Amino acid sequence: MSEKFYVTTPIYYVNDRPHIGHAYTTVLADVLARTHRSLSDRTFFLTGTDEHGQKVQQAAEKRGVAPLDHCDETVVRFQELWQRLGITNDYFIRTTEANHKAVVSRIMQELYDRDEIYKADYTGWYCVGCERFFTEKDLVDGKCPDCGREVNAITESNYFFRMSKYQDWLIDYIQTHPDFILPSFRANETLGFLKKPLGDLCISRPKSRLAWGIELPFDKDYVCYVWFDALINYISGVGYGSDEEKFNSWWPASCHLIGKDILTTHSVYWPTMLKAMGLPMPKTIFAHGWWLSGNSKMSKSLGNVVNPMDMIDRAGVDAFRYFLLAEMSPGNDANFSEDGFIARYNSDLANDLGNLLSRVSKLTIRATGGEIPAPGELNADDEELANAVNSAVVTMSECLQSYKLDQGINAAMNAVRAGNRYLEKCAPWSLAKNGETARLHTVLHNAADALCRIAVLLAPVMPEKMAELLAVLGADKAGISGIASLEKLKSVAGLTMKEATPLFPRIVVEEENGTPEKNSGKKAVKPEKTAKAEKVEEAVNVVSIDEFFKTKLKTAKVLAAEKVEGADKLLKLQIEVGSETRQLVAGVAQFYTPQEITGKTIVIVSNLKPAKIRGIESQGMLLAAKNGSNLKLVTVDGEMPSGVDIG
Ligand code: MSP
């Protein structure tokens, strides 16, 4: 049965230059939207830009242009990137557009009339240089935490939203709706935040300090606080306050995709605002981790911001989309490195998928002139391949529900690898030589069938390349594109295969003498060190500092531990890593009891890809010294909080 699916991304600060973090959320939303559309679900995908606030005002002043002109010029950066990345949003909202401003204004008036908004005096510490208010606890040695200058205590009248009165309701709502905030450790984080008394939310800024915002309808001396304005985009973008029929057909949202740094605004401010407006809650708020660059948060000052346009120029749109989604396990942080990108591109796309297609196309054209033959009797090898493909179909569908797209992609790539193993085992080239035509036809059919299903599964991730692949198989002419069309696909037999041109040409790293290998077809990538230097390092088995820092070690506190049923050696641990709670499975049960290990501050590898051990997810690995039958955990020498970097 077809369903409704409404997905949103955060609206990005219009002032910013789009980077890989913005691209990730938007591509993730796009893949979800494309998938739902292909399942014939009624789908709406909203993205846009956040255009009010101090930074925009300051940037416009600096350039000597009006703030709206500044926004009109900079918004194009996002719009062009989304076009380049094949993003299929149904609407692009800008918070400066008339409809949005009118809706925000109406909501404020209504909440004010119902006494959900009130005026009060507010005392804070104001830094004239930074033009910002800080609370007492923000200050560092009594001075501005940002610039270190003196701050003045200023009392100012402002308007407040009665957020505090919804605290108990919100705690109960989160506790009784397990899909409301995902991953679940983010729900725990929000509940942790809600243990402290929740204050009311200051939703105004005096115009004397900030003029670039939506004016309060009941007091012309103030503008609306930028987050209160921005969050409302999720409803104004689908007709709230302007087109009730449209609004009722889309709200509540199925999923707000956000990054972990904007969890509180979405999991506390937004639900309480909706509650005060008498609107239902979104089904899910999904917070993904951060993209790090060289293991640090991307920042302009570190000069490590990854520009999506550069990556697209180098490897193509679909390869970039694939990398983003395959590399990040959405609850955790992921690290971007050019080496990692090239390694994954070459192994998954150029080798595994590209080779499978080129082999199947060449062999079929050689055997039949292009027509995909009908299969004969099936044997165990054929079934093994069919099982790998079916399991990928099931896994992908489950993973789309749980937003674990990297695992769905991994299952599809496992099916690709099963396809390559199948060809090696069945050796159709020998079958052709030996005149075993019936078996040859069966093998070619099954390999083409597998490829067709895999292409459909990966089409939302790599729309252009998978359309090319389906065209090589001749499946496009049979109306095969989206997942729903797989049900229509009885057999690929009879389709006419074309010769495949390489879908993903290998990216070749520049050689020592500076010339790229021939036929790369791609921009060469400069080596970080010469081949000679690499050989010397290999011989003495040393690693460079960069390689060492790829492994991220952190302190972690063991909160709870239990034995894994049916596994003598394993303990399942719940560990605290800073503000995160993770689960880890470790082979230490013969050396530590659950009681002994609980409470210890240990050392973990925090950026290891999550793995399943005995069917239980393990998010990381602990460090221990093992000498024969003796094992001791690596711990730190003295008191240290969890989540601290080691290096
Ligand atoms: N304008 C607000 C959102 C308002 S939504 C009602 C905002 N904008 S932002 O441009 O700063 O950030 C938008 C998103 O980008 C956030 O989800 C943030 O988490 C994400 N990212 C910013 N840097 C990131 C990475 N390095 N990695 C992944 N995402 C990160 O906040």
Side-chain angles (χ1 to χ4, degrees):
M1 202 185 68
S2 82
E3 288 175 15
K4 176 209 85 174
F5 186 72
Y6 170 31
V7 64
T8 66
T9 72
I11 48 171
Y12 305 107
Y13 288 129
V14 72
N15 229 11
D16 284 354
R17 281 193 181 275
H19 59 59
I20 186 173
H22 305 128
Y24 174 73
T25 325
T26 314
V27 170
L28 178 59
D30 185 62
V31 171
L32 296 174
R34 283 177 184 265
T35 306
H36 281 271
R37 283 190 207 110
S38 81
L39 290 167
S40 305
D41 289 343
R42 225 163 46 77
T43 302
F44 198 92
F45 167 16
L46 182 69
T47 187
T49 39
D50 193 349
E51 306 198 348
H52 290 123
Q54 194 152 23
K55 282 200 178 143
V56 173
Q57 181 174 310
Q58 280 169 346
E61 268 163 18
K62 213 165 147 191
R63 294 183 54 220
V65 297
L68 187 56
D69 291 340
H70 176 71
C71 294
D72 287 345
E73 281 171 42
T74 50
V75 68
V76 184
R77 296 199 282 239
F78 284 96
Q79 290 168 331
E80 280 176 357
L81 177 62
W82 301 158
Q83 205 169 7
R84 185 90 199 275
L85 273 173
I87 301 300
T88 57
N89 52 301
D90 294 285
Y91 189 57
F92 187 100
I93 189 162
R94 300 181 56 188
T95 52
T96 47
E97 67 192 36
N99 178 62
H100 174 78
K101 289 197 292 185
V103 172
V104 171
S105 181
R106 211 166 311 148
I107 289 171
M108 284 191 293
Q109 184 68 55
E110 202 189 303
L111 294 181
Y112 183 67
D113 292 345
R114 287 203 273 112
D115 192 37
E116 294 279 353
I117 290 176
Y118 65 95
K119 193 173 187 184
D121 282 345
Y122 165 85
T123 303
W125 296 93
Y126 191 69
C127 171
V128 181
C130 299
E131 294 184 49
R132 270 192 68 187
F133 264 99
F134 297 97
T135 61
E136 181 93 43
K137 64 176 182 338
D138 291 332
L139 304 181
V140 177
D141 299 331
K143 305 231 167 82
C144 172
D146 283 356
C147 71
R149 279 181 278 197
E150 294 294 333
V151 287
N152 310 317
I154 292 186
T155 300
E156 188 175 272
S157 284
N158 260 314
Y159 289 88
F160 292 83
F161 162 53
R162 294 192 192 279
M163 186 162 72
S164 59
K165 77 180 205 198
Y166 297 109
Q167 178 162 11
D168 291 342
W169 163 82
L170 182 58
I171 292 172
D172 182 63
Y173 192 87
I174 295 171
Q175 282 171 340
T176 51
H177 294 78
D179 287 343
F180 184 46
I181 304 171
L182 291 177
S184 54
F185 63 86
R186 299 281 175 216
N188 290 338
E189 214 174 295
T190 307
L191 288 170
F193 175 84
L194 289 168
K195 280 199 179 118
K196 286 180 270 165
L198 187 63
D200 288 342
L201 182 68
C202 178
I203 56 115
S204 64
R205 296 291 181 265
K207 273 194 190 164
S208 52
R209 274 201 294 124
L210 171 71
W212 185 234
I214 302 174
E215 191 177 276
L216 299 196
F218 41 83
D219 193 333
K220 302 215 167 323
D221 292 335
Y222 292 85
V223 295
C224 181
Y225 168 47
V226 69
W227 268 101
F228 197 85
D229 158 3
L231 287 161
I232 289 174
N233 95 86
Y234 298 135
I235 52 176
S236 69
V238 285
Y240 182 76
S242 63
D243 182 346
E244 288 309 292
E245 198 182 326
K246 178 176 175 188
F247 177 66
N248 291 331
S249 80
W250 292 115
W251 191 257
S254 315
C255 181
H256 291 317
L257 289 174
I258 59 165
K260 64 180 181 181
D261 54 324
I262 54 173
L263 180 67
T264 309
T265 47
H266 283 78
S267 65
V268 178
Y269 298 4
W270 183 225
T272 53
M273 285 165 65
L274 286 168
K275 182 75 182 156
M277 288 180 240
L279 292 175
M281 296 302 123
K283 180 166 176 284
T284 297
I285 297 160
F286 187 95
H288 62 72
W290 268 341
W291 277 94
L292 309 175
S293 176
N295 282 323
S296 328
K297 185 164 194 285
M298 277 184 281
S299 80
K300 272 189 224 152
S301 52
L302 285 176
N304 62 354
V305 179
V306 179
N307 179 348
M309 289 291 194
D310 293 347
M311 296 320 300
I312 298 170
D313 287 343
R314 179 161 301 167
V317 168
D318 281 6
F320 181 59
R321 290 172 60 111
Y322 175 84
F323 176 79
L324 289 180
L325 296 174
E327 190 72 10
M328 180 176 263
S329 179
N332 302 325
D333 292 344
N335 191 36
F336 182 89
S337 75
E338 199 165 278
D339 288 353
F341 178 83
I342 294 170
R344 189 182 266 283
Y345 174 97
N346 279 343
S347 94
D348 290 8
L349 300 179
N351 277 1
D352 295 341
L353 185 53
N355 275 349
L356 182 61
L357 175 66
S358 93
R359 279 159 132 187
V360 172
S361 128
K362 274 198 193 106
L363 288 163
T364 309
I365 289 169
R366 205 178 300 154
T368 67
E371 185 177 321
I372 301 177
E377 212 173 301
L378 301 183
N379 68 18
D381 292 334
D382 306 324
E383 268 157 33
E384 198 178 316
L385 176 63
N387 287 341
V389 175
N390 288 339
S391 138
V393 174
V394 173
T395 310
M396 181 66 98
S397 136
E398 286 169 0
C399 291
L400 281 162
Q401 297 291 326
S402 55
Y403 303 97
K404 293 179 180 154
L405 215 63
D406 60 317
Q407 292 180 19
I409 290 174
N410 193 30
M413 291 316 295
N414 281 340
V416 169
R417 288 185 270 271
N420 280 319
R421 278 199 307 276
Y422 175 76
L423 289 185
E424 266 136 46
K425 198 157 176 206
C426 302
W429 41 89
S430 305
L431 297 171
K433 218 192 262 165
N434 301 337
E436 294 177 60
T437 312
R439 182 67 194 144
L440 171 67
H441 283 182
T442 306
V443 170
L444 292 177
H445 168 273
N446 292 345
D449 180 83
L451 254 178
C452 181
R453 289 172 200 277
I454 292 165
V456 166
L457 274 190
L458 291 175
V461 179
M462 296 187 281
E464 281 176 25
K465 291 291 176 185
M466 294 305 101
E468 271 180 51
L469 198 165
L470 289 168
V472 170
L473 296 177
D476 55 335
K477 300 218 170 69
I480 303 303
S481 56
I483 294 181
S485 62
L486 271 187
E487 282 163 25
K488 281 192 280 174
L489 177 71
K490 297 264 170 332
S491 169
V492 288
L495 300 180
T496 306
M497 178 98 71
K498 288 195 291 219
E499 188 153 356
T501 47
L503 273 190
F504 302 102
R506 251 187 108 69
I507 298 181
V508 182
V509 179
E510 209 172 82
E511 295 289 274
E512 191 183 3
N513 62 10
T515 46
E517 263 181 30
K518 285 208 183 85
N519 74 22
S520 87
K522 290 277 166 193
K523 201 167 166 186
V525 177
K526 289 218 162 56
E528 280 183 16
K529 47 185 177 271
T530 63
K532 215 170 170 186
E534 240 162 24
K535 284 207 187 89
V536 174
E537 285 187 5
E538 240 169 63
V540 292
N541 197 17
V542 295
V543 290
S544 71
I545 192 85
D546 288 349
E547 281 169 306
F548 174 72
F549 278 113
K550 278 184 190 160
T551 308
K552 225 170 149 197
L553 303 178
K554 278 185 188 289
T555 56
K557 186 156 186 203
V558 181
L559 301 175
E562 60 179 285
K563 290 203 154 187
V564 173
E565 236 178 58
D568 301 345
K569 297 185 179 157
L570 298 180
L571 284 187
K572 183 168 92 177
L573 312 178
Q574 303 301 325
I575 56 169
E576 176 198 272
V577 189
S579 56
E580 249 184 73
T581 308
R582 289 195 188 185
Q583 177 168 288
L584 195 143
V585 179
V588 296
Q590 288 169 324
F591 308 96
Y592 291 88
T593 64
Q595 291 76 11
E596 279 167 348
I597 199 167
T598 302
K600 282 195 188 300
T601 299
I602 58 172
V603 174
I604 63 154
V605 180
S606 66
N607 59 340
L608 210 58
K609 214 174 167 84
K612 284 235 160 114
I613 302 176
R614 297 270 178 136
I616 306 171
E617 177 148 348
S618 183
Q619 303 157 324
M621 182 180 103
L622 58 69
L623 298 191
K626 190 164 186 221
N627 183 11
S629 59
N630 188 14
L631 180 144
K632 291 281 177 236
L633 290 171
V634 174
T635 57
V636 282
D637 178 23
E639 279 297 307
M640 189 53 78
S642 73
V644 174
D645 286 336
I646 294 177

